[in-house]
Amino acid sequence: MQTWQLPQHIADILPERARQLESVKEQILALFRVHGFELVHPPLMEYSDSLLTHIDEGLSLKTIRVPDQLSGRQLGIRADITPQVARIDAHLLSHNQGINRLCYSGSMLHAKPDGLLATREPYQTGAELYGYAGTAADIELIDLMIKSLKLGGINNAILSLGHLGVFRALAQAANLQENQSRQLLATMQNKDREAVRDLAKSWQLDDIWTNALATLPELYGGRDILQAAKQRLPQLTAVSQAIDVLEQVCHAFPHQAVHIDFAEVRVDNYHTGLLYAAYAPEHHDAVARGGRYDGLGEYFGRSRPATGFSFDLRVFGAYLAASSRPEAVRVALADYAQAIEKINELREQGICVVVDYGMNDNSGSLKRLQKQGDEWILV
């Protein structure tokens, strides 16, 4: 085995792509800033208990663990930044009883990739809002998500909506156990109504709940599917409230392409209600995901309503225009010491100046800094 080979689903980011991603990252963080979101930098690694690995099975399977040689405790390399931000809101920013708007951008590691084409080192970027339970906060975050995608070159994203409240209301009414709910959710992902029905019948559920659960995989489509849901689902308060939230979001984005799926629940276990995601043409999976996760901070000492989204910054590489290296100015090595004041002046103006060692380089510079009379000028 060659020692320089990287692990599977791990890759370097080379100069052109790195320029693209850093540039769009700066623009997105600036966008977050003007919308009132403060930047935080959680650590790449902390004690695994703090990463919610023991209460979220999906997150636990993604998390790489190592022993801490200082404390003897188990460390985890983060597989998701959202729980870390929830910890910051609940613990380090607990003095603020109002709204906290927080954002972040950083690498995380997965023990296994999410798919055949997925990286194990996503560069997760996102924004979270804590302290307000109303749908207006979700709408604010969805709007920010769509604006972020446009900065990343994705102008025709489809907004996908779902709501965990519908399934959970039906599961509660049918008296499902937690393990039954998880099994049923997994079955629903294949959109196989009969498989859902057979599973519900095997548990001897009442027909009203068996039929309602088997209906969920069929309730997907455009905005008009909400009316169908009202007609076909049982009249439970929680179901009506969830549909009302979906209607509010649809009304807030009248010109946005929307897809609604009542069986779309492929999220981390900590989500609690409205789910939103964005899909782009010619991409195999969602380019951004988010949703409401009220109460996640309770584990860290403060339960708060919360909503937020995130995306892998690397995804934008396929949508951004090619990036060329900024033009550089060359200065001969023999002239460097004499020209240092002029060089510093140019660099302070944002102009790239490189030393010419008399060899080919990749600077692409066409201009030179030369002395004419008493002045250094660009030639």
Side-chain angles (χ1 to χ4, degrees):
M1 179 183 293
Q2 294 173 306
T3 57
W4 51 263
Q5 288 186 327
L6 294 174
Q8 295 182 50
H9 297 273
I10 297 290
D12 295 306
I13 301 179
L14 298 182
E16 180 177 340
R17 179 62 56 84
R19 283 196 302 271
Q20 288 178 316
L21 297 184
E22 281 300 311
S23 176
V24 74
K25 173 186 170 182
E26 291 174 3
Q27 295 176 58
I28 289 172
L29 291 181
L31 175 70
F32 290 169
R33 184 167 57 252
V34 298
H35 282 76
F37 289 78
E38 295 283 350
L39 184 64
V40 293
H41 287 293
L44 180 64
M45 180 171 61
E46 51 182 301
Y47 294 124
S48 59
D49 284 350
S50 298
L51 299 174
L52 301 178
T53 56
H54 60 305
I55 64 175
D56 191 314
E57 183 179 354
L59 194 56
S60 179
L61 292 173
K62 293 180 182 180
T63 302
I64 298 173
R65 298 171 175 82
V66 295
D68 184 4
Q69 297 186 20
L70 295 180
S71 68
R73 295 174 61 184
Q74 187 183 71
L75 298 173
I77 300 175
R78 67 185 181 201
D80 186 358
I81 300 180
T82 297
Q84 294 184 295
V85 182
R87 172 181 57 75
I88 290 174
D89 171 75
H91 181 58
L92 299 178
L93 299 179
S94 60
H95 60 277
N96 183 5
Q97 299 301 315
I99 291 175
N100 279 331
R101 289 180 173 88
L102 304 175
C103 63
Y104 53 86
S105 186
S107 291
M108 56 186 189
L109 287 176
H110 289 170
K112 294 182 179 180
D114 288 337
L116 293 175
L117 302 178
T119 176
R120 292 169 58 193
E121 188 190 5
Y123 201 93
Q124 188 178 5
T125 303
E128 321 283 345
L129 189 151
Y130 296 88
Y132 187 73
T135 308
D138 300 294
I139 292 172
E140 176 183 342
L141 270 293
I142 292 172
D143 177 65
L144 188 61
M145 179 180 73
I146 294 172
K147 290 176 179 176
S148 301
L149 296 180
K150 289 181 178 179
L151 288 177
I154 302 175
N155 296 304
N156 53 352
I158 297 173
L159 176 61
S160 177
L161 301 173
H163 202 298
L164 277 173
V166 175
F167 173 82
R168 289 183 174 172
L170 296 177
Q172 183 178 6
N175 294 316
L176 292 184
Q177 302 297 318
E178 184 61 31
N179 63 325
Q180 292 176 319
S181 294
R182 287 198 298 268
Q183 188 176 353
L184 197 56
L185 285 174
T187 305
M188 282 189 181
Q189 298 311 302
N190 297 323
K191 295 289 188 292
D192 189 338
R193 173 178 179 170
E194 293 308 314
V196 172
R197 183 182 296 279
D198 291 344
L199 190 58
K201 284 185 175 180
S202 71
W203 296 330
Q204 298 182 340
L205 301 184
D206 290 344
D207 286 346
I208 183 175
W209 309 124
T210 296
N211 292 333
L213 290 166
T215 297
L216 291 184
E218 295 183 339
L219 290 176
Y220 62 92
R223 300 166 188 261
D224 56 346
I225 204 66
L226 294 176
Q227 188 61 37
K230 291 179 181 180
Q231 297 172 354
R232 298 180 63 182
L233 294 177
Q235 298 299 308
L236 298 175
T237 300
V239 171
S240 299
Q241 290 173 342
I243 294 175
D244 181 60
V245 168
L246 292 169
E247 286 184 325
Q248 290 180 53
V249 175
C250 287
H251 291 157
F253 300 95
H255 305 298
Q256 173 67 47
V258 172
H259 177 82
I260 301 169
D261 189 344
F262 281 85
E264 176 55 66
V265 288
R266 292 185 296 111
V267 295
D268 295 295
N269 291 345
Y270 55 73
H271 282 92
T272 58
L274 176 69
L275 306 173
Y276 42 91
Y279 289 82
E282 301 180 359
H283 195 78
H284 65 282
D285 200 0
V287 292
R289 288 189 182 278
R292 184 158 284 279
Y293 52 99
D294 297 339
L296 179 62
E298 182 177 6
Y299 178 72
F300 303 109
R302 183 167 73 149
S303 179
R304 300 248 283 170
T307 181
F309 69 89
S310 65
F311 48 82
D312 180 5
L313 195 69
R314 292 175 182 241
V315 170
F316 293 155
Y319 299 91
L320 296 172
S323 173
S324 59
R325 181 171 178 171
E327 186 178 5
V329 175
R330 293 190 187 192
V331 58
L333 177 61
D335 294 335
Y336 182 79
Q338 297 180 49
I340 189 63
E341 290 187 10
K342 183 64 175 180
I343 291 171
N344 290 337
E345 177 186 330
L346 292 173
R347 286 173 173 168
E348 288 174 0
Q349 297 172 9
I351 299 173
C352 176
V353 182
V354 298
V355 179
D356 185 354
Y357 292 106
M359 303 168 60
N360 291 332
D361 60 30
N362 66 349
S363 66
S365 55
L366 300 176
K367 295 182 179 179
R368 285 184 171 275
L369 185 62
Q370 293 182 351
K371 193 172 187 179
Q372 294 187 1
D374 294 332
E375 296 184 2
W376 291 96
I377 62 172
L378 298 182
V379 178

